[in-house]
Amino acid sequence: MSLSHELALTRRTGHPAPTSASPRPSRVRVVGPAGAARPDLRDEDVGEVEGHERDWVAELHVTDLPHGLFPRLGVAFVRRWHRAHLASPHGTCLVARVGGVPVGFALCSLDRRAHVDWLLAHRRRELALPAAAALLRRPRLAVDFLRTRGARYARRLAGRGARPAAAAAPPTAVAVLDAIVVEEFARGRGVGTALVEAFLRRAVEAGAERAELVTKAGAAGAAGFYERRGWTRTGSHTDRDGEEVVTFRVDLTADHRTTTGRPTLRLAPAR
Ligand SMILES: CC(C)(COP(=O)(O)OP(=O)(O)OC[C@H]1O[C@@H](n2cnc3c(N)ncnc32)[C@H](O)[C@@H]1OP(=O)(O)O)[C@@H](O)C(=O)NCCC(=O)NCCS
């Protein structure tokens, strides 16, 4: 039985009913037998996030991947952050849909350096003010923030976090998988793999030479997921929040392109 047949629409409390003019994404849950189905997502089932899906993405990000500073600032801030991210010519968010219903997202930047520079140049104040307001409402997080990130953010806000003059060699274009979440009830069916592959194809199309990501070490992260899908572990370290994290990379070399330039990435081992 296909995944789409095994998924049935259901509403989660708190979601307003869809209108015919602007259908809101619904949460879905698996109601069929779990574990047996092979992925049946097609390339066209993964695409850029649509306007009416953005609130769902922000909520899922905060509830299911509350790592790092931004998700802990709350859904309202995450919505602003995602909006800024998507306004950047180097930021994107891919959504996987089953029967038109979103079941997972991947927030990515296709050129990390250019993306960060764009955000600092165009969205610095728009993000700093709501972040400060969110911190004021969360005193314990504010203390944590000052201890772990205060000096760095102060330099950036003052415009002193600018990069040194570019070196002679052009920098490597690095695409980053910033966040990926699949609805819990849809996991284990290939949705995450489809999102990662779509991200890598997008990265190749954008001219990235390398893709990178960071995930928590141990059960709280997804290192095994990336290892099984062909990513190379490049190191581990303790992050600003004192969490052990693991870094991964994929080199997007010419091997991954056809002669027409279309990427032919298939990193997941065939089963
Ligand atoms: C990680 C995640 C995106 C994978 O999505 P998914 O749709 O379940 O992935 P797929 O169905 O394509 O792949 C499932 C496979 O990955 C493995 N896997 C999934 N999550 C894993 C994890 N956290 N650690 C190790 N392996 C994991 C499954 O065991 C399964 O293995 P198999 O292919 O050998 O059977 C999803 O589990 C998720 O949203 N997790 C919560 C958020 C999160 O941790 N995101 C990653 C942060 S970097």
Side-chain angles (χ1 to χ4, degrees):
M1 190 185 290
S2 70
L3 175 59
S4 48
H5 286 111
E6 291 188 33
L7 292 173
L9 296 183
T10 190
R11 301 221 64 75
R12 257 193 199 182
T13 53
H15 276 254
T19 66
S20 54
S22 170
R24 282 178 65 90
S26 307
R27 295 295 180 97
V28 296
R29 66 185 168 87
V30 176
V31 295
R38 287 293 306 126
D40 67 343
L41 285 188
R42 299 155 301 165
D43 280 358
E44 57 269 30
D45 294 326
V46 180
E48 303 287 334
V49 66
E50 292 179 8
H52 66 281
E53 295 169 330
R54 290 187 181 193
D55 284 354
W56 168 81
V57 170
E59 283 173 30
L60 191 59
H61 195 157
V62 169
T63 56
D64 286 34
L65 196 61
H67 305 167
L69 174 66
F70 286 1
R72 288 183 291 155
L73 294 175
V75 174
F77 179 79
V78 168
R79 276 195 212 110
R80 286 177 186 268
W81 165 35
H82 287 181
R83 205 181 310 144
H85 181 97
L86 290 169
S88 160
H90 313 285
T92 187
C93 180
L94 302 170
V95 167
R97 306 176 185 92
V98 174
V101 176
V103 292
F105 76 86
L107 190 76
C108 346
S109 38
L110 300 173
D111 181 336
R112 174 174 49 205
R113 172 184 278 259
H115 182 61
V116 171
D117 285 351
W118 190 93
L119 287 175
L120 286 174
H122 300 278
R123 291 293 186 276
R124 183 164 42 188
R125 283 199 182 76
E126 279 172 58
L127 289 177
L129 294 177
L135 282 171
L136 285 174
R137 290 193 297 275
R138 295 167 176 79
R140 283 183 58 184
L141 183 57
V143 171
D144 256 16
F145 168 79
L146 289 174
R147 184 175 53 80
T148 58
R149 297 167 170 89
R152 190 169 65 106
Y153 274 75
R155 276 198 306 276
R156 280 193 168 177
L157 275 176
R160 289 202 296 273
R163 299 179 193 290
T172 303
V174 179
V176 179
L177 183 57
D178 296 301
I180 177 169
V181 181
V182 172
E183 289 270 26
E184 198 171 348
F185 38 74
R187 290 178 194 165
R189 305 304 183 90
V191 177
T193 301
L195 283 165
V196 170
E197 290 190 355
F199 157 64
L200 292 171
R201 280 196 296 274
R202 222 40 79 85
V204 170
E205 284 163 3
E209 293 154 72
R210 196 163 79 217
E212 292 183 358
L213 63 85
V214 179
T215 187
K216 279 193 182 184
F225 170 72
Y226 299 112
E227 270 161 3
R228 301 277 285 275
R229 265 128 204 92
W231 289 66
T232 304
R233 184 189 283 247
T234 51
S236 63
H237 62 273
T238 305
D239 72 7
R240 288 194 176 75
D241 299 312
E243 306 266 10
E244 194 65 18
V245 294
V246 188
T247 50
F248 282 90
R249 162 200 288 199
V250 168
D251 285 315
L252 304 172
T253 62
D255 296 347
H256 291 123
R257 302 162 200 259
T258 65
T259 47
T260 61
R262 259 192 67 73
T264 57
L265 286 161
R266 274 264 151 207
L267 290 172
R271 293 194 294 181

